[in-house]
Amino acid sequence: MALGFIKKIFTFGKDAEAAPEPETTPAAEEHDTLLEEAEAANPEAGLHVPAEAEPDIYPLPHAPDAEVEPAEPEAAETVSEDAAAPEIADEEPVAPALPKGFTTAEPERETEAEAPARRTWFQRLREGLSRTSSQLTGQIAGLFTKRKLDDATLQDLEDLLIQADLGVETALRITDTLAAERYGKDVTGTDVSRIMASEITKVLAPVARPLALDLAHKPHVILVVGVNGTGKTTTIGKLAAKLSGAGLKVMLAAGDTFRAAAIEQLKIWAERTGSDIVATKLGADAAGLAYEAYEQAKAKKSDVLIVDTAGRLQNKAELMAELEKIVRVLGKLDPDAPHTVLQTLDATTGQNAMNQVEIFRNVAGVTGLIMTKLDGTARGGILVAIAARHKLPVYFIGVGEGIDDLEPFEAKDFAQAIAGVEQ
């Protein structure tokens, strides 16, 4: 009976929501009998488990929980714990002791990168001529170590200067001056460098001139010639940037119609410099393009018209015919056009540059030079030899691809950079 009583207590309410079973009198009587027997065996059970109060003592599982107000002491404890929370958050973790051979990495601090100091023009020029300068000065220093100046030494020096592409004329000037000052005496590499810089300056000074523009005569036509790869198109873009930056109205003509890259590159330069441009399809007649460009430049009252040209030396006869036709067409539009004929020279080509000047001077009547690609691999001594032989003005030199890397030619700076002499 006790087992039946316990079973009734722990299973009460589980099937409360189920439909009531059909009443059976025998089962009910049996239930009452069992209950009476249990109460007789344990008289106090009625006090703890009254039949009517069982639903209150054992609520249904799905019944809503009764709302109970929290006791005040517990609320006080909660407030106390919340107040103590910031103190726990402020505590810094203790770093573990690392074994020997280890250290704690410092957190990287973000620092503003300092802008590199802009190098002076002479520093960039000297870097561009570093190949010629370092090779030449090193050989000269080795030649004059503990040695007096005699005929044999002068001959060795002359050979070194010629190998550096300075030319025979300039080499003789340097050796003659050195012999006049120091013959039979001890000579150092510094002495030779000083005399070399002075003599090269004398050779270059007459050709270091500014490019003269007759702005009263519009447009001033500049024809740019040179072998492919010498930097014609880039030089044109830099010239346009300088002129347009000074407030002049510039028009460009993409006359190298045999290279699609040259046409596209010139269009980019025109956009960057705010210049007008006349271009045509690949393979078109370059002389016809020059004619159209001149007419448009005159109609738009452009101050300067710069005409690009092809430079295919593999077929000299065709190149000569094309350049001559361009010059002839421009001459019909203006008897003085082209007013300036610039040739670009690649400083890395050495003696080939001398041959190129001779070809283009005969074909297009070159009136001035621009030396490009003085980038550290250059053999810039050839410019001295060209100046000594042809006496052509050297207007600009370039030491890089940037707009600011084309600067007016300064004879003294160039000579000192080659000779390795500080300013």
Side-chain angles (χ1 to χ4, degrees), residues 39-51:
E39 289 176 351
N42 188 5
E44 297 180 357
L47 299 175
H48 297 287
V49 190

PDB file of all heavy atoms in Angstrom, residues 39-51:
ATOM      1  N   GLU A  39      -3.658   5.449   5.289  1.00  0.00           N
ATOM      2  CA  GLU A  39      -3.863   6.440   6.325  1.00  0.00           C
ATOM      3  C   GLU A  39      -3.886   5.767   7.698  1.00  0.00           C
ATOM      4  O   GLU A  39      -3.425   6.328   8.683  1.00  0.00           O
ATOM      5  CB  GLU A  39      -5.185   7.172   6.092  1.00  0.00           C
ATOM      6  CG  GLU A  39      -5.116   8.107   4.895  1.00  0.00           C
ATOM      7  CD  GLU A  39      -6.467   8.749   4.626  1.00  0.00           C
ATOM      8  OE1 GLU A  39      -7.461   8.338   5.244  1.00  0.00           O
ATOM      9  OE2 GLU A  39      -6.508   9.670   3.771  1.00  0.00           O
ATOM     10  N   ALA A  40      -4.428   4.509   7.746  1.00  0.00           N
ATOM     11  CA  ALA A  40      -4.456   3.793   9.015  1.00  0.00           C
ATOM     12  C   ALA A  40      -3.059   3.433   9.468  1.00  0.00           C
ATOM     13  O   ALA A  40      -2.725   3.487  10.644  1.00  0.00           O
ATOM     14  CB  ALA A  40      -5.333   2.515   8.904  1.00  0.00           C
ATOM     15  N   ALA A  41      -2.219   3.037   8.487  1.00  0.00           N
ATOM     16  CA  ALA A  41      -0.829   2.675   8.838  1.00  0.00           C
ATOM     17  C   ALA A  41      -0.023   3.892   9.232  1.00  0.00           C
ATOM     18  O   ALA A  41       0.904   3.804  10.028  1.00  0.00           O
ATOM     19  CB  ALA A  41      -0.179   1.945   7.679  1.00  0.00           C
ATOM     20  N   ASN A  42      -0.331   5.045   8.658  1.00  0.00           N
ATOM     21  CA  ASN A  42       0.431   6.292   8.935  1.00  0.00           C
ATOM     22  C   ASN A  42      -0.558   7.416   9.175  1.00  0.00           C
ATOM     23  O   ASN A  42      -0.968   8.122   8.259  1.00  0.00           O
ATOM     24  CB  ASN A  42       1.320   6.638   7.756  1.00  0.00           C
ATOM     25  CG  ASN A  42       2.269   7.796   8.088  1.00  0.00           C
ATOM     26  OD1 ASN A  42       2.300   8.254   9.234  1.00  0.00           O
ATOM     27  ND2 ASN A  42       2.997   8.242   7.083  1.00  0.00           N
ATOM     28  N   PRO A  43      -0.981   7.577  10.390  1.00  0.00           N
ATOM     29  CA  PRO A  43      -2.041   8.565  10.690  1.00  0.00           C
ATOM     30  C   PRO A  43      -1.631   9.980  10.339  1.00  0.00           C
ATOM     31  O   PRO A  43      -2.462  10.805  10.061  1.00  0.00           O
ATOM     32  CB  PRO A  43      -2.251   8.410  12.204  1.00  0.00           C
ATOM     33  CG  PRO A  43      -1.661   7.079  12.546  1.00  0.00           C
ATOM     34  CD  PRO A  43      -0.587   6.793  11.568  1.00  0.00           C
ATOM     35  N   GLU A  44      -0.306  10.303  10.336  1.00  0.00           N
ATOM     36  CA  GLU A  44       0.134  11.694  10.088  1.00  0.00           C
ATOM     37  C   GLU A  44       0.148  12.038   8.607  1.00  0.00           C
ATOM     38  O   GLU A  44       0.369  13.171   8.242  1.00  0.00           O
ATOM     39  CB  GLU A  44       1.533  11.914  10.661  1.00  0.00           C
ATOM     40  CG  GLU A  44       1.582  11.760  12.165  1.00  0.00           C
ATOM     41  CD  GLU A  44       2.976  11.988  12.697  1.00  0.00           C
ATOM     42  OE1 GLU A  44       3.902  12.205  11.859  1.00  0.00           O
ATOM     43  OE2 GLU A  44       3.163  11.954  13.909  1.00  0.00           O
ATOM     44  N   ALA A  45      -0.040  11.046   7.726  1.00  0.00           N
ATOM     45  CA  ALA A  45       0.027  11.334   6.277  1.00  0.00           C
ATOM     46  C   ALA A  45      -1.048  12.280   5.856  1.00  0.00           C
ATOM     47  O   ALA A  45      -0.863  13.086   4.964  1.00  0.00           O
ATOM     48  CB  ALA A  45      -0.105  10.010   5.507  1.00  0.00           C
ATOM     49  N   GLY A  46      -2.173  12.251   6.516  1.00  0.00           N
ATOM     50  CA  GLY A  46      -3.255  13.163   6.144  1.00  0.00           C
ATOM     51  C   GLY A  46      -2.931  14.586   6.404  1.00  0.00           C
ATOM     52  O   GLY A  46      -3.461  15.481   5.764  1.00  0.00           O
ATOM     53  N   LEU A  47      -2.023  14.810   7.403  1.00  0.00           N
ATOM     54  CA  LEU A  47      -1.651  16.197   7.699  1.00  0.00           C
ATOM     55  C   LEU A  47      -0.777  16.786   6.605  1.00  0.00           C
ATOM     56  O   LEU A  47      -0.826  17.957   6.329  1.00  0.00           O
ATOM     57  CB  LEU A  47      -0.944  16.255   9.062  1.00  0.00           C
ATOM     58  CG  LEU A  47      -1.755  15.792  10.262  1.00  0.00           C
ATOM     59  CD1 LEU A  47      -0.881  15.782  11.519  1.00  0.00           C
ATOM     60  CD2 LEU A  47      -2.961  16.706  10.468  1.00  0.00           C
ATOM     61  N   HIS A  48       0.060  15.959   6.033  1.00  0.00           N
ATOM     62  CA  HIS A  48       1.022  16.461   5.024  1.00  0.00           C
ATOM     63  C   HIS A  48       0.453  16.442   3.640  1.00  0.00           C
ATOM     64  O   HIS A  48       0.840  17.263   2.818  1.00  0.00           O
ATOM     65  CB  HIS A  48       2.299  15.611   5.050  1.00  0.00           C
ATOM     66  CG  HIS A  48       3.011  15.705   6.360  1.00  0.00           C
ATOM     67  ND1 HIS A  48       3.694  16.812   6.753  1.00  0.00           N
ATOM     68  CD2 HIS A  48       3.129  14.801   7.388  1.00  0.00           C
ATOM     69  CE1 HIS A  48       4.235  16.623   7.969  1.00  0.00           C
ATOM     70  NE2 HIS A  48       3.885  15.392   8.366  1.00  0.00           N
ATOM     71  N   VAL A  49      -0.435  15.525   3.346  1.00  0.00           N
ATOM     72  CA  VAL A  49      -0.941  15.422   1.972  1.00  0.00           C
ATOM     73  C   VAL A  49      -2.453  15.379   2.012  1.00  0.00           C
ATOM     74  O   VAL A  49      -3.070  14.320   1.878  1.00  0.00           O
ATOM     75  CB  VAL A  49      -0.402  14.169   1.265  1.00  0.00           C
ATOM     76  CG1 VAL A  49      -0.741  14.210  -0.211  1.00  0.00           C
ATOM     77  CG2 VAL A  49       1.088  14.030   1.478  1.00  0.00           C
ATOM     78  N   PRO A  50      -3.085  16.492   2.274  1.00  0.00           N
ATOM     79  CA  PRO A  50      -4.564  16.514   2.219  1.00  0.00           C
ATOM     80  C   PRO A  50      -5.012  16.348   0.787  1.00  0.00           C
ATOM     81  O   PRO A  50      -4.396  16.893  -0.129  1.00  0.00           O
ATOM     82  CB  PRO A  50      -4.924  17.887   2.778  1.00  0.00           C
ATOM     83  CG  PRO A  50      -3.694  18.706   2.617  1.00  0.00           C
ATOM     84  CD  PRO A  50      -2.543  17.774   2.681  1.00  0.00           C
ATOM     85  N   ALA A  51      -6.097  15.630   0.629  1.00  0.00           N
ATOM     86  CA  ALA A  51      -6.541  15.318  -0.737  1.00  0.00           C
ATOM     87  C   ALA A  51      -6.920  16.543  -1.509  1.00  0.00           C
ATOM     88  O   ALA A  51      -6.672  16.663  -2.683  1.00  0.00           O
ATOM     89  CB  ALA A  51      -7.728  14.332  -0.652  1.00  0.00           C
TER      90      ALA A  51
END
